[in-house]
Structure formats: C-alpha cells, structure tokens
Amino acid sequence: MIELDPNAKTPLYEQLYAALADEIRTGRRAPGTPLPGRRTMAAQQGISVNTVDAAYQMLAAEGLAEPRPRSGFYVQKTYGMLHSRTRRAPVPPPAASAPEKPAAPAPLYDLSTGSVDTALFPARSWGRIQKELLYRSPELLQRGEMQGDAPLRAQIAEYLSVYRGVDCTPEQIVVGAGIEYLLGCLAHLFADGMAAIENPGYSRTRTVLQNSGIPCTPVDIDRDGMPADALEKSGANLCYLTPSHHFPTGVTMPAPRRAQLLAWAAAKPGRYILEDDYDSEFRFDTRPLPSLQGMAGPDGPVVYLTTFSKSLAPGIRIACMVLPQSLLARYRRDFATYANTVGRFEQQTLCEFMAGGYFTRHLARMRLAYKRRMELFAAALRAALPGVELDGVHSGLHFLLTLSGAGGERAMVEAAARQGVRLRGLSEYYLARPELCREDTVVAGYSALKESDVQAVAEALAKAWR
Amino acid sequence: MIELDPNAKTPLYEQLYAALADEIRTGRRAPGTPLPGRRTMAAQQGISVNTVDAAYQMLAAEGLAEPRPRSGFYVQKTYGMLHSRTRRAPVPPPAASAPEKPAAPAPLYDLSTGSVDTALFPARSWGRIQKELLYRSPELLQRGEMQGDAPLRAQIAEYLSVYRGVDCTPEQIVVGAGIEYLLGCLAHLFADGMAAIENPGYSRTRTVLQNSGIPCTPVDIDRDGMPADALEKSGANLCYLTPSHHFPTGVTMPAPRRAQLLAWAAAKPGRYILEDDYDSEFRFDTRPLPSLQGMAGPDGPVVYLTTFSKSLAPGIRIACMVLPQSLLARYRRDFATYANTVGRFEQQTLCEFMAGGYFTRHLARMRLAYKRRMELFAAALRAALPGVELDGVHSGLHFLLTLSGAGGERAMVEAAARQGVRLRGLSEYYLARPELCREDTVVAGYSALKESDVQAVAEALAKAWR
C-alpha cells in the first residue's frame, strides 16, 4: 500500500508516480514484473483510474516502466540501459517530479551526434536578409502556398539538381518544418503500409512512422547498406534509407546496391523508397554519389527528403521532400487546405540566401572547417590511443571509434562519462538484434567540439580507457 | 477510346488526365457516373495502372472526379459548385496542366474569411526584436525544447490565464507550427477515436483529423452550439468545438451548454473536448466567456487550441495547445525525440513581443480598427440594401448577411462575383445536411476590406442583388 496525501500540493498522480519510481529504482519492484492493473491499483488506493494511468504513463515516459499491448505495464527489464536513455531525453520531466531524479553532471565535452557548430552560421547575412524582407515585403505576412513559396521551391530544385542529382521540378517539392512533420504527411499517403528501416539506424524515424500509424521492421544492414533480399523477405512496401551516409556507420551505398533496391521498388506497384539524404553536404574527400531519386527519375518510386536544419542550424526548422508524380496529385488533394508549416519570412530568407550564393559558400566553408577538425581530432586520437580504429571519417560529422582491450562498449561509455566526455555506444543505435553490433565501438561526433579542446578530449579518453 | 501519344513530351498520365477532364467539363461524361476501373482503363489504353491512377488522382485534386472508398472514381456530381471550389484552391495545378483551366478573374473586393489586415501588423517592433535576437542570442541556433522554449510557454500560459481563463502551467503547453500540425499530434494520442465536429463548421478540421486517421461525424448545431444529446447519440468520444465564436455563424456558446458538454466529456473515460479558441481575440462589445478549458480545470477532459497566425499574421506560423495532465505524460513519451516545428528565433521573438506588452497592445489596436471597420461596413450595407439582416456582428472578422428576394444564396454569390465581390454562401460551410441551412445567406468577411472600399462594396452588392 502506497501512502498518498490528497491534501498535498503535489497532485495524486505525481505522488503515485514518485512512489513507484522510487520502488523501481531501488529494486523493490523487480525488473520485468508487472505493475498492478490500473483498475486494481485505483481500487486499492481509492483514486481514479485516470490518476493511475497518468502515473503509469509518466513511468513509461521516464523509461522506468514499459507498456505492453493488451497486457498492462511492466517494470523495465533492461534497467542497465536505462540510465543513459533517460539522460538523453531532450524534454525535462514535469517540474514537480524533477527533484526525484538526480541531475546528471553536464559533460565537459559533448561528442554526441546531431549538433552543429553554430559559430559557423553566417548570422550577419541571414539577419540582414531577414530584416530587409520584413520592411520590404509585407506580403509575406499573408498566407503562402501550401507546398511552400514558389521562389524557394525553385531555388531548392536547382540546388538539389546541381549538387545532389535530384531530378524534379519545383512543383514536386514540399517545404515543411522538419523531416518529422514531412514523414507524418507521408504516413497518411502510405496508410496501411509497412516500412523497413535500417538496423542500426535512426530510432527517431521508427518513432515518427509508428506514431503516424506505419509499423516498422528493422532490417540488418551489411557493409553496403540494406540488402535487397532481406528487404524483400521483410514484407514491407516502404523502405527508409540513408544511402549517401548511413547513420551511424557512415557507409555510402555503392551503385549496384542502389540498383538492386530500386529494382525491388519497381517490382510491385505501391512500393516506395524514402531516401533521407541526411548529412550529404558533409563529404570531405570524394564526390558524393547522386541521389537514388535521380537514378529513379521524377516518376520513380522514391521520395527524397532532406533538411536545412543540419546545414544551417538546428534552431532553424526548414526541411523539404520531393514527391514523385505518382504521389503528388493525392498529396495535393488531401492537403489542399493545409497551411505550410514554415513561416514565410524564414522561407523567403532561405530563398534569398540561396539565390545570392550565400548557401553554397556557407556549405563550402563548413566542409573545410569540419574536415580540418576531423583530421585534428583523428590525429589526436590515434596518437593518444594506440591500436584505435576510426571508421567513416570521409563524411558526416561523426565517426566510429573501435578500441579493443578497454573493457567493451558499455565500460568505454561509462569511463568516458567519468572523464567528462559524453558519447554513445554503437549498440545504442541498434533497433533490434544488438548482438550483431561490432564490439568495443563508440560513436564520436565532433561537430560541437572546439579545435582547442581536441587535445584535451583525446587525453581524457586515453585516461578513461587505459 | 482515348488517344494517347507515348512519344509526346507531356507524360501519359497528364494526357489521360487532360482528355478525361475535357470529357467531364463538356458533359460527355455525366455527373455521378463511374469512371472505368483503373485496371480496365489501363488494359484498354495499354498503359500501367499507376499511370491511370495518377490521372484519376489529378482529376480528384481538381475536383472533377470523386474517389469513393472501395468503389473507384466517379464524375463529380455537384458540378455547379465546382467552379468556385477549384477557384479557391490555394495550390496551382502542375504547370503542364494549367493551360486547360481558364484563370478566374481576380475579384476587386475579397470578402472571404481567413485573411487579416497586415497593415495593422507591428512590423517595426517585431523586426527590431528579431534582429536583436539574431545578434545577441546565438544559442537560439541550437535545438530547443520539444514542446517549445520554456520562456515562451511561460508567457503564453500567463496570457491565456489572464485573457482566456485557461487554467494551466507552462508544462502543459505545446507550441507548434499551426493548429493543423497540433491536431495531427493529437490524432496519434486519440488513435481509434471518433470525432464529432460542428455542422456547419470548418471543413479543414475534418480534413486534418481524417487525414490523421480519426473519422469525423458532423453534428448539427442549434442556436447555442452543439447539443449534448446529439453529441451523445453520435457515438463519438472526441468533440471539436469553437465555443467562443462558432465558425461561421458567430454563435457564442452560453454557460449552461458549456456545462452540459463538459458533463458529456466527464461521463466516460477517454472522452475529450478539443476547444479551438478561434478568433476569441476579436470581440467588440461583450467580455468573452472564459474558455471551456478553464471551466474543466487543468486535469479536465479538454484540450485547448489557439493560434497566433490569426492575431499576428497568417505568414507567421505559431500555434499552441494546452494538454490536460491525463494526456501529457503519453505525449511526452511518444514525441520525446521530436524537434519543435517552430524556429527558435520566431519563438523567442514572440516571447519578447508578449513580455514587452506589445502583444496585448497590438490586440487592443486591432480590436478598435476592426470594430470601426465592421460598423462602417454594416452601416453602408444597411443603407444600400433595404431589408438586409446582419448576424454575428459582435465578434470575429465576418458576419452573416441575409437578404430575401435576391434569388437565393447561389444566385447571390454568383451575382456578387460578376460585380467583382468574392464571398461565399453559408451552405458552403455545411459538412452535411445543407438543407438545414438558413436561406438567402452569405458570409461576409471584412478583415481584408479597406475602409475606403466599404462604400464601393456596398454599392456593388446593391447592384448585384437588386
């Protein structure tokens, strides 16, 4: 029996949540055991089922309990993985419950992926364009086109054609406030579909697609990316790929594999590849392969997706997708009454930023800066950690770091954290079958790493892993 | 047999689309008759099913054909309503097919709803804040909180509490790039739900909810809004309402009806009211009733939604919702990895705009300006059109105009268009049972009407309807 105080300032559901969280954290509720049914708990405590449900949902949100379909809530089994998982959660728990979880000390050096160095952002040009537009173009206060402003779509189509080999007209482009939003729109077009996703890969994509009603099945990649026969066997009709730079292994899909996957898509109507051209801007040595979309053509079974939040700044929310003709008419019909999700001043600022050549110059500068940083960091790591292997250094803003004899992935991540370095184990990116993961490997992002810190990080890691 | 040329520059699906569109427009295919099945058509023409499908989808997007579930495509029945409907479509058809549709002449005076007078927008203050932030706050380039930046949520919570009687903490607020996006998130939380929506009402809401997998059932409103017994009978567990200013009739829901609807929601777990506080800022004579959310309390079964695109400018995409505690934990769990859809500079600009008192002053100025415009317009109409009845003048940015003896709604809309005045008939807002619509009534929006045009519009309408 848990003691709840109906007169306390803290709501009942938070009291119940706190008591249960404590029992789980201290091991009084064993991993894998079921929590009492919601009705049972409500009757025992003399509270409403909704109150119990709110508490259970909070436990699930914190990763302490796990809902199972038609079977209620269970104490999280893999409590060991939990700690790092909750620490990664970008959203703080409700204020009232925060004191219960001791705050993780802020890392001195953050090698997580997904951030960019905003010092490289050309704030002055961006700000000047934005300000001029605000005074000069009051028409941007009005509602714009559903797919995004036509001049911006024309700029994007041209850029994607020249730099990514995308074969499309501006009419096929849809601008939106992030890839997550665009995937949600696609999920509607693909109702009743099932998606194969790369394993390892983005858990975010699985979350978004599943939230939008598309079940996902992870397919193990090999050294060329997703194998077409495994994809065929999965029974999926959709396939989410990061062919130009697989996340997180950095594999670039070679042309024969691309052809096999396009053949898979062409073999049956209703099959589509969702090509996330993640990170394609950051390639240091080789020319990037043109997009799958370009191989398939404007009527091919590929939806191309890319984001400007990576190449400009995460705080700027602009992404786009290129719809094949076969999906365009239905998209336009079903979304005809929608407003575009990107503010028009921001759209037009990006448009002029591209038209004025600022965007490609900005990319070129970033490539140089990141390449230099990667080379410095890799050299420092090789010097400090004899026997270290670095993979995927030719593109993207992170690489894989393998070091045998340092106690294995988990121990490496924890020891690094104790030295103030935040990074993640490769197995954390496995959506299924983590036993396939390469041993002793962590993912090291360097986009937010200052050049002046490179040496210190290498030394901290050497200390951690010696 | 339709003649298609596989060697032409125009793709086959566009040729097929164009040929069928022509047959429909010229009446060679009768309204309401089915188009040939896709497979049949494909076999007849020796083309792929995908090609036929693309052509049919384009016909549907143009409003020339209508898909029926499990039954294929039919020539649009109400061809008479079509013309105005396609003219309203915000998205141009693909460039290649554009020449087939003669462009409608631009109206001289636009009395449609949904626009605002952007001359009232305080571009100078907004621009100054935005520019300062760009130079002063580079941290805004980084990714922000999933629900929106905390300082903005605190400002919104305070504003909604003071001005709209909303009872919530900043933790319950979710900022998003438009109500459509937020409704899509809600649809995930309400999977397997069914929504009752107001009839007449927003067709947009139905589109968004249905696109997101929530079937909708229109419930006829009476003079107090949606009746609780009809709602109960509908079998829905969700109910979308515009209680402070029903769209488009302008009815404000009285307190007893509010209590009845809240009692409906409280009667069974899993029932929720979606309160769209549309237009609540624009109320000229009376104090607005506090929100339903405030009556229900922070744990009550109400999700409150409102948008800043109406009170600031349609080109600025910021809306928010207030989640009850019972939904919050699950929302946070399922959307934990999402990025917020509103750019952080725009969020922070609004935040400082509110904190500095600009927002409430802006609203006060807009209320005065629109009230004056409404009074001028109403007076001019009453003088020019003897016998005219105007309803819903006390709030919102449009009213209902009823005039008997002018040939009925359809004739009124068409005659007005011939005089250069664009407005819509009330029956166009009926999602079902248009026969219930009040006769001889059109919806007249004045938000985009210049004061200097008021007299001319009244005279044009007098000429149209004499």
Side-chain angles (χ1 to χ4, degrees), chain A residues 291-354:
Chain A
S291 63
L292 269 175
Q293 194 276 353
M295 285 178 79
D299 295 333
V302 177
V303 178
Y304 176 92
L305 296 135
T306 192
T307 180
F308 294 92
S309 297
K310 196 86 189 169
S311 46
L312 290 170
I316 292 176
R317 305 305 310 165
I318 312 183
C320 72
M321 64 179 173
V322 178
L323 290 175
Q325 292 290 355
S326 52
L327 294 174
L328 191 57
R330 196 155 80 83
Y331 171 78
R332 289 184 169 190
R333 182 195 65 187
D334 291 356
F335 290 86
T337 60
Y338 282 53
N340 192 280
T341 45
V342 183
R344 292 191 70 204
F345 286 104
E346 208 145 40
Q347 286 190 49
Q348 203 61 36
T349 303
L350 175 57
C351 179
E352 300 210 352
F353 194 74
M354 296 179 87

Coordinates of all heavy atoms in Angstrom, one line a residue, chain A residues 291-354:
Chain A
S291 N 21.8 11.2 -55.8 CA 20.7 10.6 -55.0 C 20.1 9.4 -55.8 O 20.1 9.3 -57.0 CB 19.7 11.7 -54.8 OG 19.1 12.1 -56.0
L292 N 19.5 8.5 -55.0 CA 18.7 7.5 -55.5 C 17.5 8.0 -56.3 O 17.1 7.5 -57.4 CB 18.1 6.7 -54.3 CG 18.8 5.5 -53.8 CD1 18.1 5.0 -52.6 CD2 18.9 4.4 -54.9
Q293 N 17.0 9.2 -55.8 CA 15.9 9.8 -56.5 C 16.3 10.1 -58.0 O 15.5 9.9 -58.9 CB 15.5 11.1 -55.8 CG 14.1 11.7 -56.2 CD 14.2 12.6 -57.5 OE1 15.3 12.9 -58.0 NE2 13.1 12.9 -58.0
G294 N 17.5 10.6 -58.2 CA 18.0 10.9 -59.5 C 18.1 9.7 -60.4 O 17.8 9.7 -61.6
M295 N 18.5 8.6 -59.8 CA 18.6 7.3 -60.6 C 17.2 6.9 -61.0 O 17.0 6.3 -62.1 CB 19.2 6.2 -59.7 CG 20.7 6.3 -59.5 SD 21.3 5.0 -58.4 CE 21.4 3.5 -59.6
A296 N 16.2 7.1 -60.1 CA 14.9 6.6 -60.4 C 14.1 7.5 -61.3 O 13.2 7.1 -62.0 CB 14.1 6.4 -59.1
G297 N 14.5 8.8 -61.3 CA 13.8 9.8 -62.2 C 12.5 10.3 -61.5 O 12.1 9.8 -60.4
P298 N 12.0 11.4 -62.1 CA 10.9 12.1 -61.4 C 9.6 11.3 -61.2 O 8.8 11.6 -60.4 CB 10.6 13.3 -62.3 CG 11.2 12.9 -63.6 CD 12.3 12.0 -63.4
D299 N 9.5 10.3 -62.0 CA 8.3 9.4 -61.8 C 8.6 8.1 -61.1 O 7.8 7.2 -61.0 CB 7.7 9.1 -63.2 CG 7.1 10.3 -63.9 OD1 6.8 11.3 -63.2 OD2 7.1 10.3 -65.1
G300 N 9.8 8.0 -60.6 CA 10.3 6.8 -60.0 C 9.7 6.6 -58.6 O 9.1 7.6 -58.0
P301 N 9.9 5.5 -58.0 CA 9.2 5.2 -56.7 C 10.1 5.6 -55.5 O 10.3 4.9 -54.6 CB 9.1 3.7 -56.7 CG 10.3 3.2 -57.6 CD 10.5 4.3 -58.6
V302 N 10.6 6.9 -55.6 CA 11.4 7.4 -54.5 C 10.9 8.7 -54.0 O 10.6 9.6 -54.8 CB 12.9 7.6 -55.0 CG1 13.8 8.2 -53.8 CG2 13.5 6.3 -55.5
V303 N 10.8 8.9 -52.7 CA 10.5 10.2 -52.1 C 11.9 10.6 -51.5 O 12.5 9.9 -50.6 CB 9.5 10.1 -50.9 CG1 9.3 11.5 -50.3 CG2 8.2 9.5 -51.5
Y304 N 12.4 11.8 -51.9 CA 13.6 12.3 -51.4 C 13.4 13.3 -50.3 O 12.5 14.1 -50.4 CB 14.3 13.0 -52.6 CG 15.6 13.7 -52.2 CD1 16.8 13.0 -52.3 CD2 15.6 15.0 -51.8 CE1 18.0 13.6 -52.0 CE2 16.8 15.6 -51.4 CZ 18.0 14.9 -51.6 OH 19.2 15.6 -51.3
L305 N 14.1 13.1 -49.2 CA 13.9 14.0 -48.0 C 15.3 14.6 -47.6 O 16.3 13.9 -47.6 CB 13.4 13.3 -46.8 CG 12.0 12.6 -46.9 CD1 12.0 11.2 -46.4 CD2 11.0 13.5 -46.2
T306 N 15.3 15.9 -47.3 CA 16.5 16.5 -46.8 C 16.1 17.7 -45.8 O 15.0 18.2 -45.9 CB 17.5 16.9 -47.9 OG1 18.7 17.2 -47.3 CG2 17.0 18.2 -48.6
T307 N 17.1 18.1 -45.0 CA 16.8 19.1 -44.1 C 17.8 20.2 -44.1 O 19.0 20.0 -44.4 CB 16.7 18.6 -42.6 OG1 16.4 19.7 -41.7 CG2 18.0 18.0 -42.2
F308 N 17.4 21.5 -43.9 CA 18.3 22.6 -43.8 C 18.7 22.8 -42.3 O 19.5 23.7 -42.1 CB 17.7 23.8 -44.4 CG 17.5 23.7 -45.9 CD1 16.3 23.2 -46.4 CD2 18.5 24.0 -46.8 CE1 16.1 23.1 -47.8 CE2 18.3 23.9 -48.1 CZ 17.1 23.4 -48.6
S309 N 18.1 22.2 -41.4 CA 18.4 22.3 -40.0 C 19.8 21.8 -39.7 O 20.5 22.3 -38.8 CB 17.4 21.6 -39.1 OG 16.1 22.2 -39.3
K310 N 20.3 20.9 -40.5 CA 21.6 20.4 -40.4 C 22.7 21.3 -41.0 O 23.7 21.6 -40.5 CB 21.7 19.0 -41.0 CG 22.8 18.1 -40.6 CD 22.6 17.4 -39.3 CE 23.9 16.7 -38.9 NZ 23.7 16.2 -37.5
S311 N 22.3 21.8 -42.2 CA 23.3 22.6 -42.9 C 23.3 24.1 -42.5 O 24.3 24.8 -42.7 CB 23.1 22.5 -44.5 OG 21.8 22.6 -44.8
L312 N 22.2 24.5 -41.9 CA 22.2 25.9 -41.4 C 22.3 25.9 -39.9 O 23.4 26.2 -39.3 CB 20.9 26.6 -41.8 CG 20.8 26.9 -43.3 CD1 19.4 27.4 -43.6 CD2 21.8 28.0 -43.7
A313 N 21.3 25.5 -39.2 CA 21.3 25.5 -37.7 C 20.1 24.7 -37.2 O 19.0 24.8 -37.8 CB 21.3 26.9 -37.1
P314 N 20.3 23.9 -36.2 CA 19.1 23.1 -35.7 C 17.9 24.0 -35.2 O 16.8 23.6 -35.3 CB 19.7 22.4 -34.5 CG 21.2 22.4 -34.7 CD 21.5 23.6 -35.4
G315 N 18.2 25.2 -34.8 CA 17.1 26.1 -34.4 C 16.3 26.7 -35.5 O 15.3 27.3 -35.3
I316 N 16.8 26.5 -36.8 CA 16.0 26.9 -38.0 C 15.3 25.7 -38.5 O 16.0 24.7 -38.8 CB 16.9 27.5 -39.0 CG1 17.4 28.9 -38.4 CG2 16.2 27.8 -40.3 CD1 18.5 29.6 -39.3
R317 N 14.0 25.7 -38.6 CA 13.3 24.5 -38.9 C 12.8 24.5 -40.3 O 11.6 24.9 -40.6 CB 12.1 24.3 -37.9 CG 12.4 24.3 -36.5 CD 13.4 23.3 -36.0 NE 13.1 21.9 -36.6 CZ 14.0 21.0 -36.6 NH1 15.2 21.1 -36.2 NH2 13.6 19.8 -37.0
I318 N 13.6 24.1 -41.2 CA 13.2 24.0 -42.6 C 13.7 22.7 -43.2 O 14.9 22.4 -43.2 CB 13.7 25.2 -43.5 CG1 13.4 26.5 -42.8 CG2 13.0 25.1 -44.9 CD1 13.8 27.7 -43.7
A319 N 12.8 21.9 -43.7 CA 13.2 20.7 -44.4 C 12.4 20.6 -45.7 O 11.5 21.5 -45.9 CB 12.9 19.5 -43.6
C320 N 12.6 19.7 -46.6 CA 11.8 19.5 -47.7 C 11.8 18.1 -48.2 O 12.6 17.3 -47.8 CB 12.2 20.4 -48.9 SG 13.8 19.9 -49.6
M321 N 10.8 17.8 -49.0 CA 10.7 16.5 -49.6 C 10.4 16.7 -51.1 O 9.8 17.7 -51.5 CB 9.7 15.5 -48.9 CG 8.3 15.9 -49.0 SD 7.3 14.6 -48.2 CE 5.7 15.5 -48.2
V322 N 10.8 15.7 -51.9 CA 10.5 15.7 -53.3 C 9.5 14.5 -53.6 O 9.9 13.3 -53.4 CB 11.8 15.5 -54.2 CG1 11.4 15.5 -55.7 CG2 12.7 16.7 -53.9
L323 N 8.3 14.8 -54.0 CA 7.3 13.7 -54.2 C 7.4 13.3 -55.6 O 7.5 14.1 -56.5 CB 5.9 14.2 -53.9 CG 5.6 14.5 -52.4 CD1 4.2 15.1 -52.3 CD2 5.7 13.2 -51.6
P324 N 7.4 12.0 -55.9 CA 7.2 11.5 -57.3 C 5.8 11.9 -57.8 O 4.9 12.1 -57.0 CB 7.4 10.0 -57.2 CG 7.1 9.7 -55.8 CD 7.4 10.9 -54.9
Q325 N 5.7 12.0 -59.1 CA 4.5 12.3 -59.7 C 3.3 11.5 -59.2 O 2.2 11.9 -59.1 CB 4.6 12.3 -61.2 CG 5.5 13.3 -61.8 CD 4.9 14.8 -61.7 OE1 3.8 15.0 -61.3 NE2 5.7 15.7 -62.1
S326 N 3.6 10.2 -59.0 CA 2.6 9.2 -58.6 C 1.9 9.6 -57.3 O 0.8 9.1 -57.0 CB 3.1 7.8 -58.6 OG 4.3 7.8 -57.8
L327 N 2.6 10.3 -56.4 CA 2.0 10.7 -55.1 C 1.5 12.1 -55.1 O 0.8 12.5 -54.2 CB 3.1 10.5 -54.0 CG 3.6 9.1 -53.8 CD1 4.7 9.1 -52.7 CD2 2.4 8.2 -53.2
L328 N 2.0 12.9 -56.1 CA 1.8 14.4 -56.0 C 0.3 14.8 -56.0 O -0.1 15.6 -55.2 CB 2.5 15.1 -57.1 CG 2.7 16.6 -57.0 CD1 3.3 17.0 -55.7 CD2 3.5 17.1 -58.2
A329 N -0.4 14.2 -56.9 CA -1.8 14.6 -57.0 C -2.6 14.3 -55.8 O -3.4 15.1 -55.3 CB -2.5 13.9 -58.3
R330 N -2.4 13.1 -55.2 CA -3.1 12.8 -54.0 C -2.6 13.6 -52.8 O -3.5 14.1 -52.0 CB -2.9 11.3 -53.6 CG -4.0 10.9 -52.6 CD -4.3 9.4 -52.7 NE -3.3 8.6 -52.0 CZ -3.3 8.4 -50.7 NH1 -4.3 8.9 -49.9 NH2 -2.4 7.7 -50.1
Y331 N -1.4 13.9 -52.7 CA -0.9 14.8 -51.7 C -1.6 16.2 -51.8 O -2.1 16.7 -50.8 CB 0.6 15.0 -51.8 CG 1.1 16.1 -50.9 CD1 1.3 15.9 -49.5 CD2 1.4 17.4 -51.4 CE1 1.7 16.9 -48.7 CE2 1.8 18.4 -50.5 CZ 1.9 18.1 -49.2 OH 2.3 19.1 -48.3
R332 N -1.7 16.7 -53.0 CA -2.3 18.0 -53.2 C -3.8 18.0 -52.9 O -4.3 18.9 -52.4 CB -2.1 18.5 -54.7 CG -0.7 18.8 -54.9 CD -0.5 19.4 -56.3 NE 0.8 20.0 -56.5 CZ 1.1 20.7 -57.5 NH1 0.3 20.9 -58.5 NH2 2.3 21.2 -57.6
R333 N -4.4 16.9 -53.2 CA -5.8 16.8 -52.9 C -6.0 16.8 -51.4 O -6.8 17.5 -50.8 CB -6.4 15.5 -53.5 CG -7.9 15.4 -53.3 CD -8.4 14.0 -53.6 NE -7.8 13.0 -52.7 CZ -7.9 11.7 -52.8 NH1 -8.6 11.2 -53.8 NH2 -7.4 10.9 -51.9
D334 N -5.3 15.9 -50.7 CA -5.6 15.6 -49.3 C -5.1 16.8 -48.4 O -5.6 16.9 -47.3 CB -5.0 14.3 -48.8 CG -5.7 13.1 -49.5 OD1 -6.7 13.4 -50.2 OD2 -5.2 12.0 -49.3
F335 N -4.1 17.5 -48.9 CA -3.5 18.5 -48.0 C -3.8 19.9 -48.6 O -3.3 20.9 -48.1 CB -2.0 18.3 -47.9 CG -1.6 17.1 -47.1 CD1 -1.5 15.9 -47.7 CD2 -1.4 17.2 -45.7 CE1 -1.2 14.7 -46.9 CE2 -1.1 16.1 -44.9 CZ -1.0 14.9 -45.5
A336 N -4.8 20.0 -49.5 CA -5.1 21.3 -50.2 C -5.4 22.4 -49.2 O -5.0 23.5 -49.4 CB -6.2 21.1 -51.1
T337 N -6.1 22.1 -48.1 CA -6.5 23.2 -47.2 C -5.4 23.5 -46.1 O -5.6 24.4 -45.3 CB -7.8 22.8 -46.5 OG1 -7.6 21.6 -45.7 CG2 -8.9 22.6 -47.5
Y338 N -4.3 22.8 -46.1 CA -3.3 23.0 -45.1 C -2.5 24.2 -45.3 O -2.3 24.6 -46.5 CB -2.3 21.8 -45.0 CG -2.8 20.6 -44.4 CD1 -4.0 20.0 -44.7 CD2 -2.1 19.9 -43.4 CE1 -4.4 18.8 -44.1 CE2 -2.5 18.8 -42.7 CZ -3.7 18.2 -43.1 OH -4.1 17.1 -42.5
A339 N -2.1 24.9 -44.2 CA -1.1 26.0 -44.4 C 0.3 25.4 -44.3 O 0.5 24.4 -43.6 CB -1.3 27.0 -43.2
N340 N 1.2 25.9 -45.0 CA 2.6 25.5 -44.8 C 3.1 25.7 -43.4 O 2.6 26.7 -42.8 CB 3.5 26.2 -45.8 CG 4.9 25.5 -45.9 OD1 5.7 25.7 -45.1 ND2 5.0 24.7 -46.9
T341 N 3.9 24.8 -42.9 CA 4.3 24.9 -41.5 C 5.6 25.8 -41.3 O 6.0 26.0 -40.1 CB 4.6 23.5 -40.9 OG1 5.4 22.8 -41.9 CG2 3.3 22.7 -40.7
V342 N 6.2 26.3 -42.3 CA 7.3 27.2 -42.2 C 6.9 28.6 -42.4 O 6.2 29.0 -43.4 CB 8.4 26.9 -43.2 CG1 9.6 27.8 -42.9 CG2 8.8 25.4 -43.0
G343 N 7.2 29.5 -41.4 CA 6.9 30.9 -41.6 C 7.4 31.5 -42.9 O 8.5 31.1 -43.4
R344 N 6.7 32.5 -43.4 CA 7.1 32.9 -44.8 C 8.3 33.8 -44.8 O 9.1 33.8 -45.8 CB 5.9 33.6 -45.4 CG 4.8 32.6 -45.7 CD 3.8 33.2 -46.6 NE 4.3 33.4 -47.9 CZ 3.8 34.4 -48.7 NH1 2.8 35.1 -48.3 NH2 4.2 34.5 -50.0
F345 N 8.6 34.5 -43.7 CA 9.8 35.3 -43.7 C 11.1 34.3 -43.7 O 12.1 34.6 -44.3 CB 9.9 36.2 -42.5 CG 9.0 37.4 -42.7 CD1 7.7 37.4 -42.0 CD2 9.3 38.4 -43.5 CE1 6.9 38.5 -42.2 CE2 8.5 39.5 -43.7 CZ 7.2 39.6 -43.0
E346 N 10.9 33.3 -42.9 CA 12.0 32.3 -42.9 C 12.2 31.6 -44.2 O 13.3 31.4 -44.7 CB 11.8 31.3 -41.8 CG 13.0 30.7 -41.2 CD 12.9 30.4 -39.7 OE1 11.8 29.9 -39.3 OE2 13.9 30.6 -38.9
Q347 N 11.1 31.3 -44.9 CA 11.2 30.7 -46.2 C 11.9 31.6 -47.2 O 12.8 31.2 -48.0 CB 9.8 30.4 -46.8 CG 9.1 29.2 -46.2 CD 7.8 28.9 -47.0 OE1 7.8 28.8 -48.2 NE2 6.7 28.8 -46.3
Q348 N 11.5 32.9 -47.2 CA 12.0 33.9 -48.1 C 13.4 34.2 -47.8 O 14.2 34.5 -48.7 CB 11.1 35.1 -48.2 CG 11.2 35.9 -49.4 CD 10.8 35.1 -50.7 OE1 9.9 34.3 -50.6 NE2 11.5 35.3 -51.8
T349 N 13.8 34.2 -46.5 CA 15.2 34.4 -46.1 C 16.1 33.3 -46.7 O 17.1 33.6 -47.3 CB 15.3 34.5 -44.6 OG1 14.5 35.5 -44.1 CG2 16.8 34.8 -44.2
L350 N 15.6 32.1 -46.6 CA 16.4 31.0 -47.1 C 16.5 31.1 -48.6 O 17.5 30.9 -49.2 CB 15.8 29.7 -46.7 CG 16.4 28.4 -47.4 CD1 17.9 28.3 -47.0 CD2 15.7 27.1 -46.9
C351 N 15.4 31.5 -49.3 CA 15.3 31.7 -50.7 C 16.4 32.7 -51.2 O 17.2 32.4 -52.1 CB 13.9 32.1 -51.1 SG 13.8 32.3 -52.9
E352 N 16.4 33.8 -50.5 CA 17.4 34.8 -51.0 C 18.8 34.4 -50.6 O 19.8 34.8 -51.3 CB 17.1 36.2 -50.4 CG 15.7 36.7 -50.8 CD 15.6 38.2 -50.9 OE1 16.5 38.9 -50.4 OE2 14.5 38.6 -51.4
F353 N 18.9 33.7 -49.5 CA 20.2 33.2 -49.0 C 20.8 32.2 -50.1 O 22.0 32.2 -50.4 CB 20.0 32.5 -47.7 CG 21.3 32.2 -47.0 CD1 22.0 33.2 -46.3 CD2 21.8 30.9 -46.8 CE1 23.1 32.9 -45.6 CE2 22.9 30.6 -46.1 CZ 23.6 31.6 -45.5
M354 N 19.9 31.4 -50.7 CA 20.3 30.5 -51.7 C 20.6 31.3 -53.0 O 21.6 31.0 -53.7 CB 19.3 29.4 -51.9 CG 19.1 28.5 -50.7 SD 17.8 27.2 -50.9 CE 18.8 25.9 -51.7

